[in-house]
Amino acid sequence: MRQTEPDVYRPDPAIAASSHVPDADSLREQALADPVGFWADRAEELEWFQKWDTVLDDSEAPFYKWFTGGRTNIVHNCIDRHLTGPNKNKLAFIWMGENGRDHLTFSYFSLNRQVNMMANIIKSMGVVKGDRVTIYLPRIPEVLFAMLACAKIGAVHSVIFAGFSADALASRIDDSESKLVITADGSWVNGKVFPLKDIVDQAVRFSPTVENVIVVRRTHNEVEMDALRDHWYDDLKALPIAKGKCPTEPMDAEDPLFILYTSGSTGKPKAILHTHGGYMVGTYSTLKYTFDIRPEDRWWCTADPGWITGHSYLVYGPTLNGATSFMFEGGPTYPYPNRWWQLIEHYGITSFYTAPTAIRSLMRFGDAWPNRHDLSSLRLLGSVGEPINPEAWQWFHRVVGKGQCPIMDTWWQTETGMFQITQVPGEVQKPGSAGKPFFGQDVEILNEEGEPVSDGDEGFLVLKNPAPAMLRTLYKDDQRYIDTYWSKYPGKYLTGDSARSDSDGYIWIIGRTDDVIKVSGHRLGTAEVESALVSHPAVSEAAAIGLPHEVKGNAIHAYVVLRVGYEPGQELGESLRQHVSQHLSPIAKPDDVQFVDKLPKTRSGKIMRRVLKARAQGLDEGDLSTLDD
Ligand code: WTA
């Protein structure tokens, strides 16, 4: 299918002129001619305890290494280096609670104090450099402190989104062999308490590695405390051990910073591994250029720290840039659908980065809600997580940005750690296109045989060259890393997305080509949903697919074969939906469960989800020659 000429938005030339990148085309050309030089220059803008010997070591490709021989710590650049200059008393974080009353601010100076305290406490629990720590917290300031404190002492954090079930949490804790879990009594979700500590109790009951659990008090619900294992954070803070400075551990550039579990095409989530040096340089520069970070900005990334967007652009990227970042505990529509607009007005947010699903859900409430608020502080908008449909783009641009704010559509992944395809504020934007490869990066769109497709044709999106913030491997699973990303087209990184490009080099993302579904911007694997379903006693086999949904982008539809003795019915369907919600996550709850006698499979027994998908949409089922029956 060929792209008809889309609407094109040409920002006021003054925007480019006053930005970090006045001439994007020439920087793109220059960086692409010498990516290693480009990244070395970016790395020079940050502080290193010892300078690197080699910018890019590709001797063991695809295990690329960046800034080898260099020593730093990302926290030195996120916090320590700001303490000796004008940023010392600048606000690093502004936080607002869901109830609209709890409000805290942290300058870089006070952020440092909080991080030191958390780091001292974590250390006192016997956690040393290289140990893994699981963080299972809501959007409260302690999640920021915990992540930065782990990084500061060289521990590897594994943040689990606080909407995952006990089963999901337990398997991630076990896989990472965490010694310590940091959680809260509960989290606020639309005025109700979600019992985080109970979930942790269930998850760690049989965990062989967890020695301690730190509990932050947030919701004041009753929780059970194990006298030996569990500790109130408030009590720990009062101990002498919590006081005083904690040194920032010098790290090799390639030392691990965190692992983050994400969904892939099997039931076992992938543990994406990122490092101190390259991830630091990548997130710092992509945020600086793409969102033209300026000292006076107030940046708001609405993502949860439990996802990569929260890691890179709520916690690390903004602090690396010495920016002021806002974090809100709640969601966009509670108690009313003006919540976000009210916060933008109240805090004078200048740059607002969110997901298409949120934009679409807010758009449904009409223009009156945003129009009640003065949103004139905004100068830039951003979108991430899934393709933004042109209607949502236009609404975001016209109603939220008052036609004045460029929209940065950023395409990237947990694996890439940083923006890979995007634009800078002064560039021409095409609503629905993610733009062009970031400086120094190159992409290709290939057919099955590995040949580039023509402009306008759909193909597999691959990255042609490594980038500093790209995953180093899958934790404890080098082979799966090679198989998943580097085998289909040797030497090129397979993104798992399909896309097309136009004659101006703009990339249009179409969607996933594997068994990953983006539901409301959240990344879920069909296999995880299926294994949650078959853990129910009534279910013999299950298949999950994503079908287009007006607000969520995709919605999960499940097909279930029952065990003998169980009868299909509405009630059973509902209890299966609840079962997935409880055993995986509420975000994974299928919209719909259908009972079938059998599932379409290949002769080798693989479920043909594409056949289910085509049938559900009334489309051509394609080649059925491998179908067993
Ligand atoms: C999708 C989120 C279109 C894509 C940062 C990718 C997007 C997957 C965009 C990664 C975008 C992300 N336009 N699609 N701007 N951003 N995606 O790991 O399918 O949660 O492969 O990282 O989200 O999801 P993940």
Side-chain angles (χ1 to χ4, degrees):
M1 189 186 73
R2 304 239 160 225
Q3 177 66 31
T4 51
E5 178 60 16
D7 289 335
V8 167
Y9 167 66
R10 292 177 202 283
D12 182 339
I15 293 179
S18 65
S19 75
H20 286 302
V21 189
D23 183 352
D25 286 340
S26 67
L27 181 59
R28 199 168 276 118
E29 203 174 301
Q30 200 186 318
L32 199 54
D34 178 18
V36 164
F38 172 79
W39 288 115
D41 290 347
R42 304 288 75 73
E44 293 277 7
E45 295 173 24
L46 294 163
E47 291 183 4
W48 298 75
F49 303 136
Q50 187 181 310
K51 200 178 158 169
W52 56 90
D53 308 316
T54 311
V55 179
L56 170 63
D57 173 359
D58 57 6
S59 58
E60 290 169 51
F63 298 95
Y64 295 99
K65 298 187 186 72
W66 287 83
F67 308 109
T68 50
R71 285 175 80 70
T72 186
N73 182 312
I74 195 166
V75 172
H76 175 80
N77 282 295
C78 291
I79 302 178
D80 304 3
R81 77 180 174 118
H82 301 307
L83 302 177
T84 50
N87 282 341
K88 180 177 172 184
N89 293 313
K90 182 177 175 178
L91 292 186
F93 287 105
I94 303 172
W95 175 78
M96 169 60 88
E98 189 193 73
N99 60 19
R101 291 185 304 275
D102 300 343
H103 159 102
L104 292 166
T105 54
F106 302 91
S107 65
Y108 278 90
F109 174 78
S110 64
L111 175 67
N112 181 49
R113 287 215 162 155
Q114 295 285 348
V115 171
N116 270 296
M117 185 144 60
M118 182 72 95
N120 285 327
I121 290 170
I122 294 174
K123 257 186 163 172
S124 77
M125 308 251 146
V127 172
V128 298
K129 185 171 176 172
D131 283 350
R132 276 79 55 213
V133 173
T134 293
I135 300 174
Y136 185 67
L137 281 168
R139 281 192 298 279
I140 55 174
E142 284 77 5
V143 70
L144 312 168
F145 309 154
M147 290 169 76
L148 292 161
C150 285
K152 184 177 177 78
I153 64 170
V156 179
H157 58 68
S158 164
V159 185
I160 315 293
F161 173 63
F164 273 115
S165 69
D167 299 6
L169 177 60
S171 68
R172 287 157 173 81
I173 291 174
D174 285 348
D175 187 72
S176 64
E177 300 163 282
S178 292
K179 275 183 171 173
L180 171 67
V181 177
I182 307 178
T183 189
D185 48 359
S187 64
W188 287 114
V189 181
N190 297 339
K192 294 197 192 73
V193 174
F194 183 73
L196 291 184
K197 175 64 166 61
D198 290 357
I199 292 172
V200 171
D201 288 346
Q202 290 171 45
V204 301
R205 189 158 301 145
F206 304 108
S207 165
T209 57
V210 174
E211 293 165 8
N212 292 289
V213 176
I214 297 177
V215 188
V216 178
R217 214 188 287 274
R218 173 62 190 142
T219 44
H220 295 266
N221 48 314
E222 237 180 82
V223 298
E224 269 178 43
M225 295 292 279
D226 178 307
L228 291 175
R229 188 196 66 197
D230 300 344
H231 319 269
W232 287 109
Y233 187 52
D234 283 341
D235 296 346
L236 297 169
K237 284 201 290 189
L239 300 175
I241 183 81
K243 306 279 177 327
K245 269 188 76 168
C246 171
T248 301
E249 186 72 29
M251 305 296 283
D252 281 340
E254 282 293 306
D255 276 337
L257 169 63
F258 65 83
I259 51 182
L260 182 57
Y261 289 90
T262 189
S263 298
S265 46
T266 71
K268 191 177 185 292
K270 298 189 284 194
I272 308 294
L273 181 85
H274 285 290
T275 56
H276 272 259
Y279 177 83
M280 170 178 89
V281 175
T283 52
Y284 160 76
S285 351
T286 46
L287 184 61
K288 174 177 167 180
Y289 285 166
T290 304
F291 284 94
D292 188 39
I293 296 293
R294 296 181 193 171
E296 67 275 21
D297 276 339
R298 284 192 162 186
W299 162 256
W300 182 9
C301 161
T302 64
D304 190 281
W307 309 109
I308 192 66
T309 307
H311 280 60
S312 299
Y313 298 111
L314 198 164
V315 181
Y316 290 111
T319 48
L320 285 167
N321 279 283
T324 298
S325 195
F326 174 62
M327 181 168 79
F328 176 50
E329 184 183 31
T333 53
Y334 178 81
Y336 301 109
N338 67 330
R339 201 68 161 98
W340 279 5
W341 317 130
Q342 188 187 39
L343 290 165
I344 290 172
E345 175 176 17
H346 184 78
Y347 288 107
I349 301 297
T350 59
S351 320
F352 180 62
Y353 184 44
T354 192
T357 185
I359 299 165
R360 287 191 298 263
S361 78
L362 289 166
M363 197 169 115
R364 285 191 317 168
F365 293 102
D367 300 5
W369 290 101
N371 286 346
R372 277 172 55 180
H373 296 276
D374 176 3
L375 305 180
S376 60
S377 58
L378 289 171
R379 72 178 184 94
L380 287 176
L381 302 173
S383 171
V384 61
E386 51 175 328
I388 180 165
N389 47 313
E391 303 71 45
W393 195 102
Q394 296 296 358
W395 186 82
F396 200 28
H397 185 66
R398 179 174 54 82
V399 179
V400 180
K402 310 295 174 212
Q404 304 293 315
C405 306
I407 300 179
M408 303 294 101
D409 187 350
T410 61
W411 178 92
W412 57 297
Q413 308 179 300
T414 307
E415 289 87 342
T416 69
M418 64 172 211
F419 306 149
Q420 284 288 337
I421 301 176
T422 175
Q423 54 270 277
V424 292
E427 282 187 284
V428 167
Q429 290 146 49
K430 299 189 183 185
S433 162
K436 296 181 181 180
F438 188 76
F439 309 112
Q441 301 307 122
D442 205 1
V443 305
E444 254 179 354
I445 299 174
L446 305 177
N447 65 15
E448 196 58 51
E449 287 69 46
E451 295 143 0
V453 301
S454 317
D455 284 348
D457 287 344
E458 180 174 350
F460 297 96
L461 178 71
V462 301
L463 308 183
K464 277 178 77 176
N465 51 347
M470 216 163 181
L471 81 163
R472 292 304 184 263
T473 189
L474 295 176
Y475 179 65
K476 297 197 296 194
D477 206 348
D478 288 345
Q479 192 57 47
R480 190 175 176 198
Y481 166 73
I482 296 175
D483 295 346
T484 312
Y485 305 108
W486 302 95
S487 303
K488 189 170 169 81
Y489 306 113
K492 290 169 185 169
Y493 169 93
L494 184 72
T495 64
D497 279 17
S498 64
R500 54 195 155 77
S501 70
D502 64 20
S503 51
D504 297 325
Y506 279 67
I507 310 291
W508 300 74
I509 304 292
I510 296 164
R512 299 288 308 189
T513 57
D514 54 6
D515 295 323
V516 168
I517 314 178
K518 286 287 196 89
V519 182
S520 300
H522 300 314
R523 178 164 162 179
L524 294 166
T526 50
E528 288 167 283
V529 179
E530 289 160 6
S531 71
L533 282 165
V534 294
S535 72
H536 188 282
V539 177
S540 144
E541 285 186 290
I545 58 168
L547 291 179
H549 184 280
E550 215 179 305
V551 174
K552 300 186 204 177
N554 294 287
I556 298 176
H557 290 247
Y559 296 81
V560 163
V561 180
L562 291 177
R563 282 179 194 279
V564 184
Y566 288 91
E567 285 302 315
Q570 212 183 343
E571 214 171 299
L572 181 57
E574 186 49 35
S575 78
L576 292 177
R577 294 176 64 233
Q578 286 305 336
H579 185 80
V580 175
S581 174
Q582 271 165 23
H583 289 265
L584 181 56
S585 168
I587 56 180
K589 190 158 123 180
D591 270 31
D592 165 56
V593 175
Q594 279 189 39
F595 299 98
V596 292
D597 294 333
K598 88 198 273 214
L599 294 169
K601 286 190 193 157
T602 61
R603 280 182 214 110
S604 59
K606 273 178 82 176
I607 297 171
M608 294 180 84
R609 298 190 189 84
R610 73 169 171 83
V611 173
L612 289 170
K613 210 167 159 165
R615 273 182 206 164
Q617 294 178 279
L619 301 172
D620 178 16
E621 293 174 13
D623 178 9
L624 295 179
S625 58
T626 55
L627 198 67
D628 73 338
D629 181 358

